């Protein structure tokens, strides 16, 4: 597929803008990236090509520019914000976020080897503050992104909100401070959030969630691999069908309802209770450890080693592996009754 290499800037006068007016763009390519510092983003099913509708907001919305061209061989669309301070109020109360923004409007992807191919990442860009209080550029952009099946889309957002619905493909969400909600997704979904609640449901494929701070909830998750890692927050999952599962939180409780046997399960929290419910057919080599708390299981366990803070043994045929650990808290590994 031929990729269009052109640079487009669009800036409208304030008199031409309205709250309902949307600017529409098409991004031609199988692997595209979109960058926006502030606003609400919705990704949904589309056809033919990735289509982006941009709706500006704020008293200085006319100062925003839209840039569209190839960077490192990948088609991109970027919302450009002049200056180093942005005022953006959200429903979540007072907030303030700092990040580095390059001159071309890109940010947040220097640690991902697949991104910015062929670019010099030594230039980190200027520091930009996005805050609900104080002065700064009063402008933001809400995006509606239509994603055709099978496309790879990377969405970078600093502050706002992200929702995903009915998308099938390879999706990467990188947000500094924003809640993310995804439902009815099929393919590979990677979510990386600095701070914010993550909610996923009806996901089929490969799911990875990484948050610095925020709860992660999920329901009806089916696929090859599930990984959840949060620095601080609870992990609550139900209806999980995945042979490989990794759940980790620095501080918070972990609950997971497994609806199928697992080949590999790893659960760890620095501080918090852990409760795992699994099918009666579960078979695995099990190792459970807690520095402070009780260990409970109603599976028939052939114990090979035990102590006041740990137990090791086999359940059923022992084909899988289960490792569960908490620094402080109780651990339950229970059989589901139906």
């Amino acid at each position: 597929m031929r990729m269009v290499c052109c640079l487009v800037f669009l800036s409208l006068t304030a008199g031409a803008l309205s709250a309902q007016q949307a600017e529409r763009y098409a991004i031609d390519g199988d692997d595209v990236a979109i960058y926006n510092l502030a606003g609400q983003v919705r990704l949904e099913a589309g056809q033919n090509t990735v289509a982006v509708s941009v709706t500006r907001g704020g008293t200085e919305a006319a100062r925003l520019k839209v840039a569209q061209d190839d960077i490192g061989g990948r088609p991109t669309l970027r919302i450009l914000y002049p200056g180093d301070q942005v005022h953006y109020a959200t429903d979540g109360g007072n907030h303030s976020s700092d990040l580095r923004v390059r001159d071309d409007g890109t940010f947040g992807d220097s640690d991902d080897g697949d991104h910015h191919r062929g670019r010099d990442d030594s230039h980190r860009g200027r520091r930009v503050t996005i805050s609900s209080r104080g002065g700064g550029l009063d402008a933001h952009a809400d995006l509606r992104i239509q994603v055709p099946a099978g496309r790879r889309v990377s969405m970078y957002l600093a502050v706002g909100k992200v929702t995903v619905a009915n998308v099938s493909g390879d999706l990467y969400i990188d947000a500094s401070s924003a809640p993310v909600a995804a439902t009815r997704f099929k393919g590979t979904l990677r979510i990386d959030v600095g701070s914010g609640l993550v909610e996923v449901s009806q996901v089929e494929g490969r799911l990875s969630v990484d948050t610095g701070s925020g709860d992660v909830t999920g329901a009806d998750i089916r696929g090859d691999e599930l990984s959840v890692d949060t620095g601080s927050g609870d992990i609550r999952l139900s209806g999980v069908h995945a042979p490989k599962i990794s759940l980790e939180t620095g501080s918070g409780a972990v609950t997971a309802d497994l609806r199928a046997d697992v080949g590999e399960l790893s659960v760890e929290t620095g501080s918090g209770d852990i409760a795992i419910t699994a099918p009666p057919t579960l078979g695995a080599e099990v190792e459970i450890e807690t520095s402070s708390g009780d260990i409970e299981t109603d599976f028939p366990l052939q114990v090979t080693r035990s102590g006041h803070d740990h137990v090791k043994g086999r359940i059923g045929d022992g084909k899988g592996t289960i490792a569960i650990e908490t620094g402080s808290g109780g651990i339950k590994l229970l059989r589901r009754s139906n």
Side-chain angles (χ1 to χ4, degrees):
M1 179 179 293
R2 187 174 73 87
M3 296 183 180
V4 179
C5 267
C6 61
L7 181 62
V8 178
F9 291 103
L10 179 60
S11 181
L12 302 181
T13 63
L17 292 171
S18 68
Q20 291 75 31
Q21 187 177 28
E23 307 154 33
R24 294 177 173 83
Y25 303 86
I27 311 177
D28 189 19
D30 294 327
D31 180 6
V32 307
I34 301 166
Y35 299 81
N36 183 30
L37 285 180
Q40 297 192 21
V41 177
R42 178 176 175 83
L43 298 105
E44 57 190 40
Q47 295 180 345
N48 300 324
T49 189
V50 177
V52 182
S53 296
V54 179
T55 303
R56 305 172 186 230
T59 60
E60 297 178 275
R63 297 184 62 189
L64 298 179
K65 294 182 179 180
V66 180
Q68 186 175 2
D69 64 336
D70 283 13
I71 295 180
R74 184 170 64 165
T76 69
L77 184 144
R78 291 108 56 209
I79 312 298
L80 306 182
Y81 292 70
D84 56 8
Q85 291 188 352
V86 176
H87 175 261
Y88 177 58
T90 66
D91 295 336
N94 294 328
H95 65 83
S96 181
S97 298
D98 295 324
L99 72 160
R100 294 280 184 176
V101 180
R102 304 179 188 92
D103 291 340
D104 59 10
T106 62
F107 57 90
D109 52 9
S110 60
D111 294 331
D112 193 324
D114 288 337
H115 301 101
H116 278 267
R117 291 183 291 265
R119 294 193 50 188
D120 179 8
D121 285 324
S122 61
H123 178 61
R124 299 179 59 203
R126 72 186 192 280
R127 182 175 293 279
V128 176
T129 299
I130 305 167
S131 176
S132 59
R133 296 176 292 182
L137 179 74
D138 183 16
H140 65 272
D142 294 334
L143 309 183
R144 178 190 177 204
I145 305 169
Q146 295 174 296
V147 182
R151 299 298 174 87
R152 184 180 187 186
V153 175
S154 299
M155 177 67 230
Y156 299 90
L157 177 69
V159 177
K161 180 180 181 180
V162 180
T163 58
V164 181
N166 300 309
V167 174
S168 176
D170 187 338
L171 188 59
Y172 176 62
I173 304 294
D174 186 316
S176 297
S177 178
V180 177
T183 186
R184 298 184 299 279
F185 180 89
K186 185 176 182 180
T188 298
L189 176 59
R190 295 173 293 158
I191 300 172
D192 191 343
V193 178
S195 175
L197 171 68
V198 176
E199 301 173 290
V200 294
S201 64
Q202 301 180 51
V203 173
E204 182 178 349
R206 178 171 295 182
L207 173 63
S208 172
V209 179
D210 190 339
T211 76
S213 175
D215 294 344
V216 178
T217 65
D220 193 9
I221 301 170
R222 303 168 181 266
D224 301 326
E225 186 174 345
L226 167 63
S227 174
V228 178
D229 188 342
T230 177
S232 175
D234 294 338
I235 300 174
R236 300 184 295 271
L237 307 175
S238 63
V240 178
H241 300 72
K244 186 176 182 180
I245 302 172
S246 175
L247 310 175
E248 181 176 352
T249 176
S251 175
V254 179
T255 60
D257 171 32
L258 310 184
R259 293 305 179 97
D261 292 346
V262 293
E264 182 178 338
L265 171 64
S266 174
V267 184
E268 182 177 352
T269 175
S271 175
D273 295 335
I274 297 175
I276 308 297
T277 305
T281 56
L282 180 68
E285 296 289 343
V286 178
E287 186 165 6
I288 300 174
E289 182 175 351
T290 175
S291 298
S292 175
D294 297 329
I295 297 174
E296 178 184 347
T297 180
D298 56 8
F299 281 96
L301 181 64
Q302 302 177 31
V303 177
T304 58
R305 190 181 69 193
S306 66
H308 72 279
D309 60 354
H310 70 275
V311 63
K312 185 175 182 180
R314 173 180 292 188
I315 294 174
D317 59 18
K319 288 184 177 180
T321 60
I322 295 177
I324 303 174
E325 180 180 354
T326 177
S328 176
I331 296 176
K332 294 181 179 180
L333 177 60
L334 306 177
R335 287 192 298 177
R336 201 177 68 249
S337 58
N338 52 27

